[in-house]
Protein backbone atom coordinates (compact mmCIF):
# COMPACT_ATOMS: atom_id res chain seq x y z
CA UNK A 1 0.00 0.00 0.00
CA UNK A 2 1.50 3.31 -1.04
CA UNK A 3 1.18 5.28 2.17
CA UNK A 4 3.87 7.89 2.00
CA UNK A 5 1.75 10.94 2.75
CA UNK A 6 2.28 12.37 6.25
CA UNK A 7 -1.17 11.16 7.32
CA UNK A 8 -0.57 7.67 6.01
CA UNK A 9 -3.50 7.93 3.59
CA UNK A 10 -3.96 9.48 0.17
CA UNK A 11 -4.76 13.08 0.91
CA UNK A 12 -6.72 15.55 -1.18
CA UNK A 13 -4.58 18.66 -1.34
CA UNK A 14 -6.42 21.95 -1.59
CA UNK A 15 -4.73 23.24 -4.70
CA UNK A 16 -5.44 25.61 -7.54
CA UNK A 17 -3.86 25.84 -10.98
CA UNK A 18 -3.97 29.01 -13.02
CA UNK A 19 -4.76 28.54 -16.66
CA UNK A 20 -6.08 32.07 -16.88
CA UNK A 21 -2.52 33.42 -16.99
CA UNK A 22 -1.80 34.82 -20.45
CA UNK A 23 1.17 32.53 -21.06
CA UNK A 24 -0.70 29.37 -20.03
CA UNK A 25 -1.92 27.06 -22.77
CA UNK A 26 -2.51 29.94 -25.16
CA UNK A 27 -0.71 28.18 -27.97
CA UNK A 28 -3.00 25.75 -29.74
CA UNK A 29 -0.44 22.95 -30.05
CA UNK A 30 0.62 23.29 -26.46
CA UNK A 31 2.62 20.04 -26.28
CA UNK A 32 5.88 20.55 -28.13
CA UNK A 33 4.09 22.36 -30.97
CA UNK A 34 2.99 18.84 -31.98
CA UNK A 35 -0.55 18.60 -33.41
CA UNK A 36 -1.13 14.91 -32.77
CA UNK A 37 0.43 14.85 -29.31
CA UNK A 38 -1.58 17.94 -28.33
CA UNK A 39 -4.86 16.40 -29.54
CA UNK A 40 -4.03 13.19 -27.67
CA UNK A 41 -3.35 15.04 -24.41
CA UNK A 42 -6.41 17.27 -24.86
CA UNK A 43 -8.60 14.16 -25.29
CA UNK A 44 -7.11 12.60 -22.19
CA UNK A 45 -7.65 15.78 -20.17
CA UNK A 46 -11.22 16.06 -21.51
CA UNK A 47 -12.03 12.54 -20.39
CA UNK A 48 -10.67 12.93 -16.85
CA UNK A 49 -13.48 14.91 -15.11
CA UNK A 50 -16.37 12.67 -16.22
CA UNK A 51 -14.25 9.52 -15.85
CA UNK A 52 -13.11 10.39 -12.36
CA UNK A 53 -16.66 11.18 -11.29
CA UNK A 54 -17.66 7.71 -12.47
CA UNK A 55 -14.81 6.24 -10.38
CA UNK A 56 -16.15 8.07 -7.34
CA UNK A 57 -19.69 6.78 -7.96
CA UNK A 58 -18.34 3.23 -8.28
CA UNK A 59 -16.71 3.23 -4.84
CA UNK A 60 -19.72 4.93 -3.29
CA UNK A 61 -21.93 2.11 -4.59
CA UNK A 62 -20.16 -0.38 -2.32
CA UNK A 63 -19.11 1.97 0.50
CA UNK A 64 -21.53 0.46 3.01
CA UNK A 65 -19.82 -2.92 2.63
CA UNK A 66 -16.43 -1.58 3.74
CA UNK A 67 -15.88 -2.09 7.43
CA UNK A 68 -12.09 -1.76 7.72
CA UNK A 69 -11.45 1.76 9.13
CA UNK A 70 -8.12 2.11 7.29
CA UNK A 71 -9.70 1.28 3.96
CA UNK A 72 -12.56 3.69 4.69
CA UNK A 73 -10.02 6.50 5.19
CA UNK A 74 -8.14 5.52 2.04
CA UNK A 75 -11.41 5.59 0.09
CA UNK A 76 -12.18 9.06 1.48
CA UNK A 77 -8.74 10.22 0.31
CA UNK A 78 -9.27 8.63 -3.11
CA UNK A 79 -12.64 10.36 -3.51
CA UNK A 80 -11.19 13.72 -2.46
CA UNK A 81 -8.22 13.42 -4.81
CA UNK A 82 -10.29 12.36 -7.82
CA UNK A 83 -12.83 15.14 -7.24
CA UNK A 84 -10.00 17.70 -7.12
CA UNK A 85 -8.41 16.27 -10.28
CA UNK A 86 -11.69 16.67 -12.11
CA UNK A 87 -12.14 20.26 -10.93
CA UNK A 88 -8.63 21.32 -11.89
CA UNK A 89 -8.71 19.55 -15.26
CA UNK A 90 -11.96 21.37 -16.01
CA UNK A 91 -10.05 24.66 -15.85
CA UNK A 92 -7.55 23.40 -18.42
CA UNK A 93 -10.35 21.89 -20.48
CA UNK A 94 -12.17 25.22 -20.72
CA UNK A 95 -9.00 26.70 -22.17
CA UNK A 96 -8.63 23.76 -24.57
CA UNK A 97 -12.22 24.15 -25.79
CA UNK A 98 -11.51 27.86 -26.42
CA UNK A 99 -8.48 26.78 -28.45
CA UNK A 100 -10.73 24.60 -30.61
CA UNK A 101 -10.26 21.10 -29.19
CA UNK A 102 -13.50 19.12 -29.59
CA UNK A 103 -13.64 17.85 -26.01
CA UNK A 104 -16.58 19.83 -24.62
CA UNK A 105 -19.12 17.08 -25.37
CA UNK A 106 -17.36 14.68 -22.99
CA UNK A 107 -18.43 16.71 -19.98
CA UNK A 108 -22.06 17.63 -20.66
CA UNK A 109 -25.36 16.75 -18.97
CA UNK A 110 -26.23 14.51 -21.94
CA UNK A 111 -22.99 12.62 -21.64
CA UNK A 112 -23.51 12.24 -17.89
CA UNK A 113 -26.96 10.73 -18.53
CA UNK A 114 -25.39 8.26 -20.99
CA UNK A 115 -22.73 7.29 -18.46
CA UNK A 116 -25.30 6.81 -15.72
CA UNK A 117 -27.29 4.54 -18.04
CA UNK A 118 -24.19 2.42 -18.70
CA UNK A 119 -23.35 2.29 -15.00
CA UNK A 120 -26.92 1.29 -14.20
CA UNK A 121 -26.74 -1.52 -16.75
CA UNK A 122 -23.77 -3.20 -15.09
CA UNK A 123 -23.50 -4.60 -11.60
CA UNK A 124 -21.79 -2.60 -8.90
CA UNK A 125 -18.90 -5.06 -8.88
CA UNK A 126 -18.36 -4.70 -12.64
CA UNK A 127 -18.52 -0.92 -12.28
CA UNK A 128 -15.90 -1.05 -9.52
CA UNK A 129 -13.78 -3.51 -11.54
CA UNK A 130 -13.84 -0.96 -14.40
CA UNK A 131 -12.55 1.67 -11.98
CA UNK A 132 -9.85 -0.60 -10.58
CA UNK A 133 -8.71 -1.42 -14.14
CA UNK A 134 -8.77 2.26 -15.16
CA UNK A 135 -6.71 3.04 -12.08
CA UNK A 136 -4.09 0.59 -13.34
CA UNK A 137 -4.00 2.54 -16.62
CA UNK A 138 -3.54 5.83 -14.81
CA UNK A 139 -0.91 4.35 -12.46
CA UNK A 140 1.09 2.95 -15.39
CA UNK A 141 0.89 6.26 -17.25
CA UNK A 142 1.70 8.21 -14.09
CA UNK A 143 4.78 6.10 -13.44
CA UNK A 144 5.92 6.70 -17.02
CA UNK A 145 5.36 10.43 -16.82
CA UNK A 146 7.20 10.76 -13.51
CA UNK A 147 10.07 8.39 -14.39
CA UNK A 148 10.94 9.31 -17.94
CA UNK A 149 13.36 12.18 -18.54
CA UNK A 150 12.34 11.95 -22.19
CA UNK A 151 8.73 12.73 -21.25
CA UNK A 152 9.62 15.37 -18.65
CA UNK A 153 11.76 17.20 -21.21
CA UNK A 154 8.89 17.58 -23.69
CA UNK A 155 8.36 21.34 -24.00
CA UNK A 156 4.94 22.51 -22.86
CA UNK A 157 3.43 25.34 -20.83
CA UNK A 158 4.81 25.21 -17.24
CA UNK A 159 1.34 25.18 -15.67
CA UNK A 160 0.39 22.24 -17.84
CA UNK A 161 3.37 20.29 -16.49
CA UNK A 162 2.49 21.33 -12.94
CA UNK A 163 -1.03 19.96 -13.35
CA UNK A 164 0.17 16.75 -15.00
CA UNK A 165 2.90 16.00 -12.44
CA UNK A 166 0.58 16.70 -9.49
CA UNK A 167 -2.13 14.50 -10.98
CA UNK A 168 0.35 11.71 -11.80
CA UNK A 169 1.78 11.83 -8.28
CA UNK A 170 -1.63 11.54 -6.61
CA UNK A 171 -2.57 8.70 -8.98
CA UNK A 172 0.37 6.79 -7.52
CA UNK A 173 -0.65 7.73 -3.97
CA UNK A 174 -4.08 6.13 -4.40
CA UNK A 175 -3.31 3.50 -7.06
CA UNK A 176 -4.43 0.52 -4.99
CA UNK A 177 -7.51 2.02 -3.27
CA UNK A 178 -10.18 1.03 -5.82
CA UNK A 179 -8.49 -2.37 -6.19
CA UNK A 180 -8.58 -3.01 -2.43
CA UNK A 181 -12.16 -1.73 -2.21
CA UNK A 182 -13.11 -4.19 -4.98
CA UNK A 183 -11.55 -7.07 -3.09
CA UNK A 184 -12.99 -6.02 0.26
CA UNK A 185 -16.48 -5.78 -1.26
CA UNK A 186 -16.21 -9.37 -2.47
CA UNK A 187 -14.98 -8.84 -6.04
CA UNK A 188 -13.58 -11.98 -7.61
CA UNK A 189 -10.44 -12.51 -9.67
CA UNK A 190 -12.64 -13.73 -12.54
CA UNK A 191 -14.58 -10.46 -12.71
CA UNK A 192 -11.48 -8.32 -12.25
CA UNK A 193 -9.55 -10.03 -15.04
CA UNK A 194 -12.51 -10.33 -17.43
CA UNK A 195 -13.30 -6.62 -17.11
CA UNK A 196 -9.66 -5.72 -17.72
CA UNK A 197 -9.51 -8.05 -20.73
CA UNK A 198 -12.51 -6.26 -22.26
CA UNK A 199 -11.02 -2.83 -21.58
CA UNK A 200 -7.62 -3.94 -22.85
CA UNK A 201 -9.12 -5.16 -26.12
CA UNK A 202 -10.60 -1.75 -26.89
CA UNK A 203 -7.66 0.37 -25.69
CA UNK A 204 -5.86 0.82 -28.99
CA UNK A 205 -8.95 1.01 -31.28
CA UNK A 206 -10.53 3.54 -28.90
CA UNK A 207 -7.34 5.62 -28.69
CA UNK A 208 -6.82 5.61 -32.48
CA UNK A 209 -10.51 6.30 -33.14
CA UNK A 210 -10.84 9.17 -30.67
CA UNK A 211 -7.63 10.75 -31.88
CA UNK A 212 -8.64 10.43 -35.54
CA UNK A 213 -12.02 12.06 -34.86
CA UNK A 214 -10.40 14.89 -32.90
CA UNK A 215 -7.84 15.54 -35.65
CA UNK A 216 -10.47 15.32 -38.39
CA UNK A 217 -12.27 18.23 -36.71
CA UNK A 218 -9.13 20.40 -36.77
CA UNK A 219 -8.96 22.41 -40.03
CA UNK A 220 -5.18 22.84 -39.73
CA UNK A 221 -4.67 19.09 -39.27
CA UNK A 222 -6.92 18.35 -42.26
CA UNK A 223 -4.66 20.45 -44.47
CA UNK A 224 -1.49 18.74 -43.21
CA UNK A 225 -1.99 14.96 -43.61
CA UNK A 226 1.72 14.21 -43.96
CA UNK A 227 2.53 16.11 -40.79
CA UNK A 228 -0.28 14.27 -38.98
CA UNK A 229 1.06 10.90 -40.20
CA UNK A 230 4.60 11.77 -39.13
CA UNK A 231 3.54 13.02 -35.70
CA UNK A 232 1.22 10.05 -35.15
CA UNK A 233 4.10 7.69 -35.93
CA UNK A 234 6.31 9.54 -33.41
CA UNK A 235 3.60 9.49 -30.74
CA UNK A 236 2.94 5.76 -30.97
CA UNK A 237 6.67 4.93 -31.16
CA UNK A 238 7.54 7.40 -28.41
CA UNK A 239 7.95 7.18 -24.63
CA UNK A 240 4.23 7.24 -23.79
CA UNK A 241 3.24 4.20 -25.85
CA UNK A 242 6.51 2.26 -26.22
CA UNK A 243 6.02 -1.05 -24.35
CA UNK A 244 2.76 0.19 -22.84
CA UNK A 245 0.53 -2.78 -23.71
CA UNK A 246 2.66 -5.43 -21.93
CA UNK A 247 2.77 -3.19 -18.86
CA UNK A 248 -1.02 -2.82 -18.89
CA UNK A 249 -1.38 -6.58 -19.36
CA UNK A 250 0.42 -7.29 -16.05
CA UNK A 251 -2.92 -6.58 -14.39
CA UNK A 252 -4.44 -9.70 -15.95
CA UNK A 253 -2.07 -12.02 -14.09
CA UNK A 254 -4.08 -13.92 -11.44
CA UNK A 255 -3.02 -12.70 -8.00
CA UNK A 256 -1.76 -9.35 -9.31
CA UNK A 257 -1.87 -6.42 -6.88
CA UNK A 258 -1.05 -2.77 -7.83
CA UNK A 259 1.59 -2.61 -5.07
CA UNK A 260 3.51 -5.42 -6.83
CA UNK A 261 4.91 -2.53 -8.84
CA UNK A 262 7.03 -0.62 -6.36
CA UNK A 263 6.62 3.11 -6.87
CA UNK A 264 7.27 4.22 -3.28
CA UNK A 265 10.68 5.75 -3.97
CA UNK A 266 9.42 7.54 -7.07
CA UNK A 267 6.47 8.85 -5.10
CA UNK A 268 8.63 10.03 -2.24
CA UNK A 269 10.89 11.89 -4.70
CA UNK A 270 7.96 13.71 -6.31
CA UNK A 271 6.24 14.49 -3.01
CA UNK A 272 9.41 16.34 -2.00
CA UNK A 273 9.88 17.88 -5.44
CA UNK A 274 6.34 19.27 -5.58
CA UNK A 275 5.29 19.75 -1.96
CA UNK A 276 8.47 19.56 0.15
CA UNK A 277 9.92 22.57 1.91
CA UNK A 278 10.94 24.21 -1.36
CA UNK A 279 8.43 22.31 -3.48
CA UNK A 280 7.53 23.87 -6.80
CA UNK A 281 3.79 23.63 -6.10
CA UNK A 282 3.72 24.83 -2.50
CA UNK A 283 2.61 28.25 -3.77
CA UNK A 284 -0.36 26.55 -5.50
CA UNK A 285 -1.79 25.24 -2.24
CA UNK A 286 -4.78 27.10 -0.85
FE1 LIG B 1 -7.22 11.32 -11.10
FE1 LIG C 1 -7.09 7.74 -9.88
Amino acid sequence: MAVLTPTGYPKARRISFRFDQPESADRKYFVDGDMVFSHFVAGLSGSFPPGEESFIRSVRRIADRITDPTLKKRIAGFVGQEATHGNEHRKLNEKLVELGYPIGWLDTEDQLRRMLRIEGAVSEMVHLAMTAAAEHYTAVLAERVLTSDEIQSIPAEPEFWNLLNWHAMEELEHKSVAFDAFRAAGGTEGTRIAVMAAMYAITLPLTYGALAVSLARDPIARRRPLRVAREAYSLFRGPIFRGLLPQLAQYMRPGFHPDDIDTDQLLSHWQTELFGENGVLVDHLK
Side-chain angles (χ1 to χ4, degrees), residues 32-51:
D32 201 15
D34 185 309
M35 265 189 309
V36 175
F37 210 149
S38 301
H39 273 269
F40 168 71
V41 171
L44 212 52
S45 185
S47 67
F48 280 137

Side-chain angles (χ1 to χ4, degrees), residues 2 10-11 13 48 51-52 55 77-86 89 131-146 163-178 258-259 263 266-267 271 274:
K11 170 181 151 222
R13 296 169 178 84
F48 280 137
E52 289 170 322
F55 301 169
F78 167 80
V79 167
Q81 288 191 332
E82 293 296 26
T84 314
H85 298 168
H89 270 273
T131 299
E135 286 287 287
H136 179 64
Y137 278 67
T138 53
V140 165
L141 285 173
E143 188 189 358
R144 283 184 167 230
V145 164
L146 297 179
L163 175 81
L164 193 70
N165 287 334
W166 157 77
H167 190 168
M169 189 197 82
E170 290 198 346
E171 287 304 321
L172 291 186
E173 284 179 347
H174 71 227
K175 67 176 183 178
S176 56
V177 175
D259 292 339
T263 48
L266 181 68
L267 191 49
Q271 282 165 338
L274 300 182

Side-chain angles (χ1 to χ4, degrees), residues 18-28 30 95 99 156-160 162:
R18 301 162 196 139
F19 294 103
D20 50 347
Q21 304 285 309
E23 73 275 16
S24 293
D26 56 357
R27 201 160 48 105
K28 173 143 186 178
F30 59 102
K95 194 86 191 175
L99 290 170
E157 307 292 338
E159 196 67 340
F160 166 75
N162 288 338

Side-chain angles (χ1 to χ4, degrees), residues 77 107 140 280:
D107 201 15
V140 165
V280 294

Side-chain angles (χ1 to χ4, degrees), residues 6-238:
T7 57
Y9 307 107
K11 170 181 151 222
R13 296 169 178 84
R14 286 169 48 77
I15 194 164
S16 184
F17 294 86
R18 301 162 196 139
F19 294 103
D20 50 347
Q21 304 285 309
E23 73 275 16
S24 293
D26 56 357
R27 201 160 48 105
K28 173 143 186 178
Y29 302 119
F30 59 102
V31 185
D32 201 15
D34 185 309
M35 265 189 309
V36 175
F37 210 149
S38 301
H39 273 269
F40 168 71
V41 171
L44 212 52
S45 185
S47 67
F48 280 137
E52 289 170 322
E53 282 173 1
S54 177
F55 301 169
I56 292 171
R57 288 192 294 274
S58 73
V59 293
R60 287 202 169 132
R61 281 175 82 174
I62 54 86
D64 59 350
R65 278 190 238 164
I66 306 295
T67 50
D68 173 21
T70 304
L71 185 53
K72 275 174 184 270
K73 284 187 186 153
R74 291 172 62 214
I75 289 174
F78 167 80
V79 167
Q81 288 191 332
E82 293 296 26
T84 314
H85 298 168
N87 291 340
E88 295 304 310
H89 270 273
R90 279 197 173 104
K91 292 189 202 165
L92 171 63
N93 295 345
E94 271 174 33
K95 194 86 191 175
L96 295 174
V97 168
E98 274 173 34
L99 290 170
Y101 289 96
I103 59 172
W105 69 274
L106 289 163
D107 201 15
T108 57
E109 287 291 314
D110 276 354
Q111 187 60 10
L112 174 62
R113 269 193 291 276
R114 257 174 247 135
M115 288 205 43
L116 291 175
R117 264 204 302 276
I118 294 169
E119 289 171 16
V122 299
S123 72
E124 53 205 13
M125 293 320 298
V126 168
H127 187 188
L128 189 54
M130 287 161 72
T131 299
E135 286 287 287
H136 179 64
Y137 278 67
T138 53
V140 165
L141 285 173
E143 188 189 358
R144 283 184 167 230
V145 164
L146 297 179
T147 311
S148 163
D149 290 340
E150 202 181 344
I151 295 177
Q152 287 290 326
S153 64
I154 294 169
E157 307 292 338
E159 196 67 340
F160 166 75
W161 269 118
N162 288 338
L163 175 81
L164 193 70
N165 287 334
W166 157 77
H167 190 168
M169 189 197 82
E170 290 198 346
E171 287 304 321
L172 291 186
E173 284 179 347
H174 71 227
K175 67 176 183 178
S176 56
V177 175
F179 188 101
D180 290 341
F182 174 79
R183 276 198 178 161
T188 64
E189 283 292 87
T191 304
R192 180 181 76 76
I193 293 169
V195 166
M196 181 56 162
M199 284 172 59
Y200 187 80
I202 61 169
T203 298
L204 278 187
L206 192 69
T207 308
Y208 290 145
L211 193 52
V213 169
S214 187
L215 285 160
R217 294 178 63 182
D218 181 337
I220 302 172
R222 283 202 302 272
R223 285 198 301 273
R224 307 287 301 276
L226 284 179
R227 178 175 160 187
V228 167
R230 197 181 60 238
E231 290 179 352
Y233 181 80
S234 301
L235 175 64
F236 288 104
R237 298 298 294 253

